[in-house]
Amino acid sequence: MRRLLALLLLGGIIMTLLAGCKQQPQAQPKELRIFAAAGLKKPMDEVIARFEQEKGVKVIPNYGPSGGLWAQIKEGQPCDLFYSADWMYIEMAQKDGKIAEAKKFLQDELALVVAPSAKDKVKSVADLAKPGVTVAVCDPRAPVGDYSEKALKKLGLWDKIQSNLKARPPTVNQAAIMVKEDQIDATLIFQSVAQAYGLKPVEIIGPQYTGEIIFGAGVIKGGHEALAREFMNYAFQHIDIFTKYGWKPYAP
């Protein structure tokens, strides 16, 4: 009898423990918030998918113009890792005390791309000033827009194209889509983005006109710093995903 009572008591204790375990809240998956330049979207999505699968981490990307992303970070929007298409914004974040660690990541070039219907009208960057040519130059808050303005001014073309300037798209991806869909005749975009959209550059605008085009990464202070560093290193380890889209690894 005593043995039966002991067994019943033990069974009750086990059931209570099991019930208590079921009521315990499940641990929430880790989340990493990444702010990344819009031009990085295609390769970054690939890297994120691999990282999530291998590490069991939820990555929440926010793509946009680098200047706009930096403005969001400066205003206190939650961000763990910042990828900029212009090293200048990483330097600005460092000066503002927002960066725990930063690395130069990729190099790119500026490319002139032309819509299918404008192949005979635009054969060089000088043709952007010809009458009747419709041109898009990205907003300068997107690094590609800043690089484009700088290059066109050095080439003596900026003032000459003003009557042809029909659009100032906010991101490099939107500029690429406008050319691909024949909405405008020509634009200047990153060579990597041209490759991603299947657009063959008509002309490459060299660094003597744009300056070095360096994409950088910065771990944001006060966020998930260890996890951000892990992702940053993971992206470096899988840099082949970026190079297949036309970037070159940064080489000092």
Side-chain angles (χ1 to χ4, degrees):
M1 186 68 177
R2 287 180 182 176
R3 187 176 179 184
L4 178 60
L5 288 173
L7 288 172
L8 289 172
L9 180 60
L10 179 60
I13 291 171
I14 291 171
M15 292 298 293
T16 301
L17 289 172
L18 289 174
C21 289
K22 289 179 181 179
Q23 291 171 4
Q24 291 298 318
Q26 295 295 315
Q28 293 299 310
K30 292 180 180 178
E31 290 185 349
L32 181 70
R33 295 182 182 273
I34 295 177
F35 284 23
L40 289 169
K41 187 177 188 309
K42 288 190 176 184
M44 190 64 76
D45 280 346
E46 286 190 35
V47 174
I48 286 171
R50 288 193 186 190
F51 187 80
E52 287 183 324
Q53 185 175 10
E54 291 180 23
K55 309 294 183 179
V57 173
K58 176 65 178 175
V59 179
I60 303 171
N62 175 22
Y63 296 109
S66 298
L69 295 174
W70 161 233
Q72 292 176 47
I73 293 168
K74 193 171 183 178
E75 290 168 4
Q77 292 294 322
C79 174
D80 302 306
L81 183 59
F82 177 34
Y83 281 91
S84 172
D86 190 332
W87 183 250
M88 173 188 73
Y89 289 111
I90 299 294
E91 290 181 321
M92 290 171 67
Q94 286 175 316
K95 288 176 183 177
D96 210 51
K98 297 285 189 182
I99 299 290
E101 182 182 352
K103 291 183 180 180
K104 292 179 178 179
F105 184 35
L106 302 166
Q107 290 178 292
D108 212 333
E109 293 179 297
L110 194 66
L112 172 67
V113 292
V114 178
S117 65
K119 296 294 185 184
D120 294 332
K121 286 196 292 183
V122 182
K123 296 183 178 181
S124 73
V125 69
D127 291 338
L128 298 180
K130 287 167 59 175
V133 173
T134 57
V135 179
V137 176
C138 281
D139 186 291
R141 287 174 293 182
V144 71
D146 185 52
Y147 291 127
S148 297
E149 283 192 27
K150 187 186 297 182
L152 290 167
K153 286 173 181 176
K154 282 193 175 182
L155 289 163
L157 293 170
W158 181 246
D159 291 335
K160 294 178 182 179
I161 71 162
Q162 291 307 302
S163 59
N164 292 345
L165 189 57
K166 303 303 180 185
R168 303 299 307 268
T171 71
V172 66
N173 287 333
Q174 286 172 283
I177 290 167
M178 291 181 77
V179 163
K180 195 171 180 68
E181 295 183 352
D182 252 332
Q183 297 175 28
I184 44 103
D185 291 331
T187 191
L188 293 166
I189 59 176
F190 293 129
Q191 189 274 334
S192 57
V193 175
Q195 181 170 320
Y197 281 89
L199 296 166
K200 186 176 180 180
V202 171
E203 186 176 352
I204 298 294
I205 315 302
Q208 67 270 33
Y209 299 108
T210 62
E212 277 193 309
I213 298 176
I214 299 172
F215 285 59
V219 175
I220 302 300
K221 284 183 180 178
H224 295 111
E225 293 184 24
L227 191 56
R229 283 188 176 89
E230 186 177 359
F231 184 94
M232 183 169 66
N233 292 332
Y234 187 88
F236 271 93
Q237 292 162 10
H238 293 81
I239 203 164
D240 59 302
I241 295 175
F242 296 88
T243 57
K244 79 177 181 181
Y245 282 97
W247 278 278
K248 298 175 183 177
Y250 172 73

PDB file of all heavy atoms in Angstrom, residues 222-245:
ATOM      1  N   GLY A 222      25.783  49.756 -28.756  1.00  0.00           N
ATOM      2  CA  GLY A 222      24.571  49.625 -27.955  1.00  0.00           C
ATOM      3  C   GLY A 222      23.558  48.647 -28.501  1.00  0.00           C
ATOM      4  O   GLY A 222      22.537  48.399 -27.862  1.00  0.00           O
ATOM      5  N   GLY A 223      23.818  48.079 -29.665  1.00  0.00           N
ATOM      6  CA  GLY A 223      22.911  47.075 -30.217  1.00  0.00           C
ATOM      7  C   GLY A 223      23.415  45.684 -29.885  1.00  0.00           C
ATOM      8  O   GLY A 223      24.114  45.476 -28.894  1.00  0.00           O
ATOM      9  N   HIS A 224      23.058  44.734 -30.727  1.00  0.00           N
ATOM     10  CA  HIS A 224      23.557  43.367 -30.566  1.00  0.00           C
ATOM     11  C   HIS A 224      24.956  43.315 -31.196  1.00  0.00           C
ATOM     12  O   HIS A 224      25.145  42.778 -32.299  1.00  0.00           O
ATOM     13  CB  HIS A 224      22.611  42.366 -31.215  1.00  0.00           C
ATOM     14  CG  HIS A 224      21.265  42.294 -30.557  1.00  0.00           C
ATOM     15  ND1 HIS A 224      20.114  42.743 -31.168  1.00  0.00           N
ATOM     16  CD2 HIS A 224      20.900  41.850 -29.334  1.00  0.00           C
ATOM     17  CE1 HIS A 224      19.090  42.566 -30.355  1.00  0.00           C
ATOM     18  NE2 HIS A 224      19.536  42.023 -29.234  1.00  0.00           N
ATOM     19  N   GLU A 225      25.933  43.864 -30.496  1.00  0.00           N
ATOM     20  CA  GLU A 225      27.261  44.058 -31.083  1.00  0.00           C
ATOM     21  C   GLU A 225      27.944  42.741 -31.444  1.00  0.00           C
ATOM     22  O   GLU A 225      28.533  42.619 -32.518  1.00  0.00           O
ATOM     23  CB  GLU A 225      28.148  44.893 -30.144  1.00  0.00           C
ATOM     24  CG  GLU A 225      27.672  46.330 -29.993  1.00  0.00           C
ATOM     25  CD  GLU A 225      28.619  47.163 -29.126  1.00  0.00           C
ATOM     26  OE1 GLU A 225      29.811  46.799 -29.017  1.00  0.00           O
ATOM     27  OE2 GLU A 225      28.161  48.164 -28.541  1.00  0.00           O
ATOM     28  N   ALA A 226      27.892  41.761 -30.558  1.00  0.00           N
ATOM     29  CA  ALA A 226      28.555  40.482 -30.826  1.00  0.00           C
ATOM     30  C   ALA A 226      27.936  39.799 -32.044  1.00  0.00           C
ATOM     31  O   ALA A 226      28.653  39.276 -32.912  1.00  0.00           O
ATOM     32  CB  ALA A 226      28.469  39.576 -29.598  1.00  0.00           C
ATOM     33  N   LEU A 227      26.617  39.824 -32.133  1.00  0.00           N
ATOM     34  CA  LEU A 227      25.922  39.201 -33.258  1.00  0.00           C
ATOM     35  C   LEU A 227      26.194  39.974 -34.545  1.00  0.00           C
ATOM     36  O   LEU A 227      26.365  39.386 -35.616  1.00  0.00           O
ATOM     37  CB  LEU A 227      24.427  39.143 -32.969  1.00  0.00           C
ATOM     38  CG  LEU A 227      23.553  38.305 -33.915  1.00  0.00           C
ATOM     39  CD1 LEU A 227      24.061  36.872 -33.985  1.00  0.00           C
ATOM     40  CD2 LEU A 227      22.103  38.343 -33.453  1.00  0.00           C
ATOM     41  N   ALA A 228      26.263  41.291 -34.445  1.00  0.00           N
ATOM     42  CA  ALA A 228      26.562  42.120 -35.618  1.00  0.00           C
ATOM     43  C   ALA A 228      27.967  41.827 -36.141  1.00  0.00           C
ATOM     44  O   ALA A 228      28.189  41.724 -37.353  1.00  0.00           O
ATOM     45  CB  ALA A 228      26.421  43.599 -35.259  1.00  0.00           C
ATOM     46  N   ARG A 229      28.920  41.685 -35.227  1.00  0.00           N
ATOM     47  CA  ARG A 229      30.287  41.333 -35.641  1.00  0.00           C
ATOM     48  C   ARG A 229      30.314  39.959 -36.314  1.00  0.00           C
ATOM     49  O   ARG A 229      31.028  39.744 -37.299  1.00  0.00           O
ATOM     50  CB  ARG A 229      31.222  41.330 -34.427  1.00  0.00           C
ATOM     51  CG  ARG A 229      31.647  42.709 -33.955  1.00  0.00           C
ATOM     52  CD  ARG A 229      32.728  42.615 -32.881  1.00  0.00           C
ATOM     53  NE  ARG A 229      33.196  43.933 -32.489  1.00  0.00           N
ATOM     54  CZ  ARG A 229      32.662  44.659 -31.520  1.00  0.00           C
ATOM     55  NH1 ARG A 229      31.633  44.177 -30.820  1.00  0.00           N
ATOM     56  NH2 ARG A 229      33.148  45.859 -31.237  1.00  0.00           N
ATOM     57  N   GLU A 230      29.530  39.043 -35.777  1.00  0.00           N
ATOM     58  CA  GLU A 230      29.477  37.693 -36.350  1.00  0.00           C
ATOM     59  C   GLU A 230      28.963  37.751 -37.779  1.00  0.00           C
ATOM     60  O   GLU A 230      29.508  37.097 -38.675  1.00  0.00           O
ATOM     61  CB  GLU A 230      28.593  36.787 -35.492  1.00  0.00           C
ATOM     62  CG  GLU A 230      28.587  35.331 -35.938  1.00  0.00           C
ATOM     63  CD  GLU A 230      27.769  34.423 -35.027  1.00  0.00           C
ATOM     64  OE1 GLU A 230      27.210  34.923 -34.026  1.00  0.00           O
ATOM     65  OE2 GLU A 230      27.690  33.212 -35.338  1.00  0.00           O
ATOM     66  N   PHE A 231      27.910  38.548 -38.010  1.00  0.00           N
ATOM     67  CA  PHE A 231      27.368  38.665 -39.363  1.00  0.00           C
ATOM     68  C   PHE A 231      28.362  39.369 -40.279  1.00  0.00           C
ATOM     69  O   PHE A 231      28.560  38.961 -41.434  1.00  0.00           O
ATOM     70  CB  PHE A 231      26.040  39.423 -39.371  1.00  0.00           C
ATOM     71  CG  PHE A 231      25.393  39.479 -40.731  1.00  0.00           C
ATOM     72  CD1 PHE A 231      24.459  38.539 -41.101  1.00  0.00           C
ATOM     73  CD2 PHE A 231      25.745  40.463 -41.650  1.00  0.00           C
ATOM     74  CE1 PHE A 231      23.874  38.566 -42.369  1.00  0.00           C
ATOM     75  CE2 PHE A 231      25.179  40.506 -42.911  1.00  0.00           C
ATOM     76  CZ  PHE A 231      24.239  39.549 -43.266  1.00  0.00           C
ATOM     77  N   MET A 232      28.988  40.438 -39.794  1.00  0.00           N
ATOM     78  CA  MET A 232      29.953  41.176 -40.603  1.00  0.00           C
ATOM     79  C   MET A 232      31.082  40.257 -41.059  1.00  0.00           C
ATOM     80  O   MET A 232      31.466  40.256 -42.233  1.00  0.00           O
ATOM     81  CB  MET A 232      30.505  42.370 -39.820  1.00  0.00           C
ATOM     82  CG  MET A 232      31.464  43.245 -40.611  1.00  0.00           C
ATOM     83  SD  MET A 232      31.856  44.820 -39.769  1.00  0.00           S
ATOM     84  CE  MET A 232      32.745  44.200 -38.329  1.00  0.00           C
ATOM     85  N   ASN A 233      31.592  39.443 -40.151  1.00  0.00           N
ATOM     86  CA  ASN A 233      32.648  38.493 -40.498  1.00  0.00           C
ATOM     87  C   ASN A 233      32.146  37.416 -41.458  1.00  0.00           C
ATOM     88  O   ASN A 233      32.864  36.983 -42.360  1.00  0.00           O
ATOM     89  CB  ASN A 233      33.226  37.863 -39.233  1.00  0.00           C
ATOM     90  CG  ASN A 233      33.987  38.861 -38.381  1.00  0.00           C
ATOM     91  OD1 ASN A 233      34.542  39.837 -38.889  1.00  0.00           O
ATOM     92  ND2 ASN A 233      34.005  38.637 -37.073  1.00  0.00           N
ATOM     93  N   TYR A 234      30.902  37.004 -41.258  1.00  0.00           N
ATOM     94  CA  TYR A 234      30.287  35.996 -42.126  1.00  0.00           C
ATOM     95  C   TYR A 234      30.187  36.528 -43.559  1.00  0.00           C
ATOM     96  O   TYR A 234      30.466  35.808 -44.529  1.00  0.00           O
ATOM     97  CB  TYR A 234      28.903  35.643 -41.588  1.00  0.00           C
ATOM     98  CG  TYR A 234      28.205  34.505 -42.282  1.00  0.00           C
ATOM     99  CD1 TYR A 234      28.399  33.181 -41.879  1.00  0.00           C
ATOM    100  CD2 TYR A 234      27.320  34.742 -43.326  1.00  0.00           C
ATOM    101  CE1 TYR A 234      27.746  32.138 -42.502  1.00  0.00           C
ATOM    102  CE2 TYR A 234      26.657  33.704 -43.962  1.00  0.00           C
ATOM    103  CZ  TYR A 234      26.871  32.399 -43.551  1.00  0.00           C
ATOM    104  OH  TYR A 234      26.213  31.361 -44.174  1.00  0.00           O
ATOM    105  N   ALA A 235      29.812  37.796 -43.702  1.00  0.00           N
ATOM    106  CA  ALA A 235      29.715  38.413 -45.033  1.00  0.00           C
ATOM    107  C   ALA A 235      31.088  38.465 -45.707  1.00  0.00           C
ATOM    108  O   ALA A 235      31.208  38.206 -46.913  1.00  0.00           O
ATOM    109  CB  ALA A 235      29.111  39.800 -44.926  1.00  0.00           C
ATOM    110  N   PHE A 236      32.135  38.770 -44.918  1.00  0.00           N
ATOM    111  CA  PHE A 236      33.490  38.767 -45.469  1.00  0.00           C
ATOM    112  C   PHE A 236      33.881  37.362 -45.923  1.00  0.00           C
ATOM    113  O   PHE A 236      34.516  37.187 -46.967  1.00  0.00           O
ATOM    114  CB  PHE A 236      34.497  39.275 -44.427  1.00  0.00           C
ATOM    115  CG  PHE A 236      34.694  40.765 -44.458  1.00  0.00           C
ATOM    116  CD1 PHE A 236      33.939  41.591 -43.643  1.00  0.00           C
ATOM    117  CD2 PHE A 236      35.647  41.336 -45.285  1.00  0.00           C
ATOM    118  CE1 PHE A 236      34.116  42.969 -43.666  1.00  0.00           C
ATOM    119  CE2 PHE A 236      35.831  42.717 -45.316  1.00  0.00           C
ATOM    120  CZ  PHE A 236      35.071  43.534 -44.506  1.00  0.00           C
ATOM    121  N   GLN A 237      33.493  36.360 -45.148  1.00  0.00           N
ATOM    122  CA  GLN A 237      33.815  34.971 -45.496  1.00  0.00           C
ATOM    123  C   GLN A 237      33.091  34.522 -46.769  1.00  0.00           C
ATOM    124  O   GLN A 237      33.546  33.607 -47.458  1.00  0.00           O
ATOM    125  CB  GLN A 237      33.461  34.044 -44.344  1.00  0.00           C
ATOM    126  CG  GLN A 237      34.332  34.216 -43.100  1.00  0.00           C
ATOM    127  CD  GLN A 237      33.700  33.626 -41.848  1.00  0.00           C
ATOM    128  OE1 GLN A 237      32.694  32.919 -41.919  1.00  0.00           O
ATOM    129  NE2 GLN A 237      34.275  33.923 -40.693  1.00  0.00           N
ATOM    130  N   HIS A 238      31.947  35.161 -47.065  1.00  0.00           N
ATOM    131  CA  HIS A 238      31.157  34.808 -48.243  1.00  0.00           C
ATOM    132  C   HIS A 238      31.172  35.961 -49.260  1.00  0.00           C
ATOM    133  O   HIS A 238      30.169  36.222 -49.934  1.00  0.00           O
ATOM    134  CB  HIS A 238      29.720  34.463 -47.830  1.00  0.00           C
ATOM    135  CG  HIS A 238      29.617  33.209 -47.022  1.00  0.00           C
ATOM    136  ND1 HIS A 238      29.883  33.171 -45.672  1.00  0.00           N
ATOM    137  CD2 HIS A 238      29.318  31.928 -47.381  1.00  0.00           C
ATOM    138  CE1 HIS A 238      29.730  31.929 -45.221  1.00  0.00           C
ATOM    139  NE2 HIS A 238      29.389  31.158 -46.238  1.00  0.00           N
ATOM    140  N   ILE A 239      32.316  36.593 -49.377  1.00  0.00           N
ATOM    141  CA  ILE A 239      32.420  37.760 -50.269  1.00  0.00           C
ATOM    142  C   ILE A 239      32.237  37.359 -51.729  1.00  0.00           C
ATOM    143  O   ILE A 239      31.912  38.190 -52.579  1.00  0.00           O
ATOM    144  CB  ILE A 239      33.763  38.484 -50.046  1.00  0.00           C
ATOM    145  CG1 ILE A 239      33.659  39.954 -50.497  1.00  0.00           C
ATOM    146  CG2 ILE A 239      34.912  37.740 -50.715  1.00  0.00           C
ATOM    147  CD1 ILE A 239      34.767  40.827 -49.969  1.00  0.00           C
ATOM    148  N   ASP A 240      32.391  36.071 -52.027  1.00  0.00           N
ATOM    149  CA  ASP A 240      32.161  35.596 -53.396  1.00  0.00           C
ATOM    150  C   ASP A 240      30.731  35.856 -53.857  1.00  0.00           C
ATOM    151  O   ASP A 240      30.483  36.020 -55.057  1.00  0.00           O
ATOM    152  CB  ASP A 240      32.478  34.104 -53.500  1.00  0.00           C
ATOM    153  CG  ASP A 240      31.633  33.257 -52.561  1.00  0.00           C
ATOM    154  OD1 ASP A 240      31.685  33.502 -51.335  1.00  0.00           O
ATOM    155  OD2 ASP A 240      30.912  32.359 -53.035  1.00  0.00           O
ATOM    156  N   ILE A 241      29.789  35.902 -52.922  1.00  0.00           N
ATOM    157  CA  ILE A 241      28.398  36.203 -53.281  1.00  0.00           C
ATOM    158  C   ILE A 241      28.305  37.622 -53.816  1.00  0.00           C
ATOM    159  O   ILE A 241      27.534  37.910 -54.739  1.00  0.00           O
ATOM    160  CB  ILE A 241      27.464  35.998 -52.066  1.00  0.00           C
ATOM    161  CG1 ILE A 241      27.437  34.525 -51.670  1.00  0.00           C
ATOM    162  CG2 ILE A 241      26.053  36.493 -52.364  1.00  0.00           C
ATOM    163  CD1 ILE A 241      26.643  34.229 -50.408  1.00  0.00           C
ATOM    164  N   PHE A 242      29.095  38.520 -53.270  1.00  0.00           N
ATOM    165  CA  PHE A 242      29.091  39.912 -53.725  1.00  0.00           C
ATOM    166  C   PHE A 242      29.882  40.076 -55.020  1.00  0.00           C
ATOM    167  O   PHE A 242      29.473  40.821 -55.914  1.00  0.00           O
ATOM    168  CB  PHE A 242      29.642  40.825 -52.629  1.00  0.00           C
ATOM    169  CG  PHE A 242      28.806  40.855 -51.390  1.00  0.00           C
ATOM    170  CD1 PHE A 242      29.010  39.925 -50.371  1.00  0.00           C
ATOM    171  CD2 PHE A 242      27.796  41.794 -51.227  1.00  0.00           C
ATOM    172  CE1 PHE A 242      28.232  39.944 -49.220  1.00  0.00           C
ATOM    173  CE2 PHE A 242      27.011  41.809 -50.088  1.00  0.00           C
ATOM    174  CZ  PHE A 242      27.230  40.890 -49.079  1.00  0.00           C
ATOM    175  N   THR A 243      31.010  39.371 -55.134  1.00  0.00           N
ATOM    176  CA  THR A 243      31.830  39.535 -56.336  1.00  0.00           C
ATOM    177  C   THR A 243      31.129  38.991 -57.581  1.00  0.00           C
ATOM    178  O   THR A 243      31.349  39.484 -58.686  1.00  0.00           O
ATOM    179  CB  THR A 243      33.202  38.854 -56.169  1.00  0.00           C
ATOM    180  OG1 THR A 243      33.028  37.466 -55.866  1.00  0.00           O
ATOM    181  CG2 THR A 243      34.001  39.519 -55.054  1.00  0.00           C
ATOM    182  N   LYS A 244      30.255  37.999 -57.405  1.00  0.00           N
ATOM    183  CA  LYS A 244      29.545  37.481 -58.588  1.00  0.00           C
ATOM    184  C   LYS A 244      28.561  38.516 -59.128  1.00  0.00           C
ATOM    185  O   LYS A 244      28.130  38.419 -60.281  1.00  0.00           O
ATOM    186  CB  LYS A 244      28.847  36.160 -58.260  1.00  0.00           C
ATOM    187  CG  LYS A 244      27.538  36.274 -57.500  1.00  0.00           C
ATOM    188  CD  LYS A 244      26.895  34.914 -57.292  1.00  0.00           C
ATOM    189  CE  LYS A 244      25.568  35.029 -56.559  1.00  0.00           C
ATOM    190  NZ  LYS A 244      24.946  33.706 -56.328  1.00  0.00           N
ATOM    191  N   TYR A 245      28.201  39.513 -58.302  1.00  0.00           N
ATOM    192  CA  TYR A 245      27.332  40.599 -58.753  1.00  0.00           C
ATOM    193  C   TYR A 245      28.130  41.807 -59.260  1.00  0.00           C
ATOM    194  O   TYR A 245      27.553  42.839 -59.581  1.00  0.00           O
ATOM    195  CB  TYR A 245      26.403  41.043 -57.624  1.00  0.00           C
ATOM    196  CG  TYR A 245      25.229  40.115 -57.407  1.00  0.00           C
ATOM    197  CD1 TYR A 245      25.268  39.134 -56.430  1.00  0.00           C
ATOM    198  CD2 TYR A 245      24.082  40.212 -58.184  1.00  0.00           C
ATOM    199  CE1 TYR A 245      24.198  38.272 -56.221  1.00  0.00           C
ATOM    200  CE2 TYR A 245      23.007  39.356 -57.986  1.00  0.00           C
ATOM    201  CZ  TYR A 245      23.072  38.397 -57.001  1.00  0.00           C
ATOM    202  OH  TYR A 245      22.001  37.550 -56.807  1.00  0.00           O
TER     203      TYR A 245
END
